Amino acid sequence: MISFILSLIPLPLAKRTVQRSLVFLVLLFTTWGLVIGCSSSVNQVKNLQLGQGEQIIVLGDSIASGYGVNPEQAFPSVLSRRLNVAILNQGVAGDTTAMGLARLQTDVLDENPWLVMVELSGNDYLQRIPETETEENLRQIITQIQAQGAITVILGINVGIVGDNYDRMFEELAQETQAYLIPQILKGLLRDERYRQDDIIHPNADGHEIIGDRVFDGLQPLLKATKIPPNLENLIIER
């Protein structure tokens, strides 16, 4: 039936239709995979039921800060609109995990966090910092946030053109520290010119929209299981 319908469409249009449909399906199944993968370990997340703190914070690099797009187009702003709550965006372009660790106290711990999303490691990869150093910096960031009673969410990224071992590192760190992992938030975006900037390593506004949606969907199992602070009672949770 699909072949018959496509035969009625001019060939160039048919090709574009198939390509767009395939891209849509890939992005859709990626989002489903994020939700299924996240929900399996939600009950083990540290500080899940404490409900301490008031702020939702993103600690990140140029992806979080919205390099090359307007601030309201960056994924933390997209996510803020989806969740219907304020999000403190502490993304700094160029930051490595070591730099994020160095400003953790002032930018995160002093801001009374309830939930902190950590989006770091891309610049470690680009600067060829040893993965063991990256892993240890992330471990310290995660455990210091948890020591204050806040929930830590790792936003997994892959920036390697050929591949990298960060998937494994994120998964092992999440299991070891009882952090919540939303994997591969950039999956497919930097390989598609429709969703990336000309530098190839940063998403454009459309890419940020997809990241915001992926993080929103990935957070849902956690938000359904956790204790929400009173000041965030308007937070949108899909039932």
Side-chain angles (χ1 to χ4, degrees), residues 25-231:
L25 288 174
V26 168
L27 294 175
L28 179 62
F29 281 115
T30 297
T31 300
W32 285 351
L34 292 178
V35 175
I36 294 171
C38 296
S39 62
S40 62
S41 57
V42 65
N43 292 326
Q44 284 74 46
V45 172
K46 194 165 187 177
N47 300 329
L48 183 68
Q49 295 299 330
L50 283 185
Q52 293 184 189
E54 296 182 341
Q55 293 254 45
I56 298 176
I57 302 174
V58 176
L59 176 68
D61 50 32
S62 57
I63 305 296
S65 70
Y67 175 88
V69 301
N70 295 326
E72 65 271 15
Q73 295 175 316
F75 86 82
S77 294
V78 175
L79 181 62
S80 175
R81 292 190 291 272
R82 291 293 311 273
L83 290 174
N84 193 41
V85 294
I87 293 178
L88 179 59
N89 186 352
Q90 299 288 37
V92 175
D95 258 19
T96 61
T97 54
M99 294 174 180
L101 177 60
R103 62 186 176 89
L104 179 67
Q105 184 66 49
T106 55
D107 283 7
V108 176
L109 302 183
D110 289 347
E111 296 290 345
N112 195 20
W114 166 64
L115 183 148
V116 182
M117 289 169 273
V118 180
E119 180 274 309
L120 289 167
S121 72
N123 289 306
D124 291 51
Y125 177 85
L126 295 174
Q127 297 180 27
R128 299 184 179 181
I129 294 173
E131 287 184 15
T132 53
E133 184 176 334
T134 299
E135 183 174 358
E136 180 55 29
N137 290 334
L138 287 173
R139 181 179 291 108
Q140 291 191 46
I141 290 171
I142 293 166
T143 55
Q144 288 186 42
I145 293 169
Q146 291 173 330
Q148 188 152 321
I151 297 169
T152 306
V153 177
I154 302 171
L155 300 182
I157 62 171
N158 295 85
V159 295
I161 301 301
V162 177
D164 56 56
N165 295 320
Y166 282 17
D167 271 348
R168 173 201 55 80
M169 178 179 67
F170 293 137
E171 290 173 3
E172 292 181 355
L173 274 172
Q175 291 178 3
E176 173 193 335
T177 63
Q178 294 178 284
Y180 186 77
L181 173 63
I182 302 178
Q184 298 186 355
I185 64 170
L186 294 175
K187 186 172 182 179
L189 300 181
L190 301 184
R191 296 178 182 272
D192 192 326
E193 62 184 11
R194 293 174 301 172
Y195 303 117
R196 73 182 187 214
Q197 298 180 44
D198 291 340
D199 64 8
I200 305 178
I201 60 174
H202 291 102
N204 60 20
D206 290 336
H208 276 281
E209 283 285 340
I210 293 174
I211 295 170
D213 288 343
R214 287 177 175 177
V215 177
F216 176 83
D217 291 336
L219 283 174
Q220 291 304 307
L222 175 69
L223 297 178
K224 292 174 183 177
T226 191
K227 182 179 180 181
I228 307 294
N231 68 300

Side-chain angles (χ1 to χ4, degrees), residues 225-238:
T226 191
K227 182 179 180 181
I228 307 294
N231 68 300
L232 297 175
E233 60 184 10
N234 292 326
L235 186 149
I236 293 177
I237 302 174
E238 292 186 342

Side-chain angles (χ1 to χ4, degrees), residues 6-18:
L6 290 177
S7 70
L8 301 178
I9 306 174
L11 185 57
L13 180 58
K15 287 182 177 180
R16 290 197 299 271
T17 301
V18 171

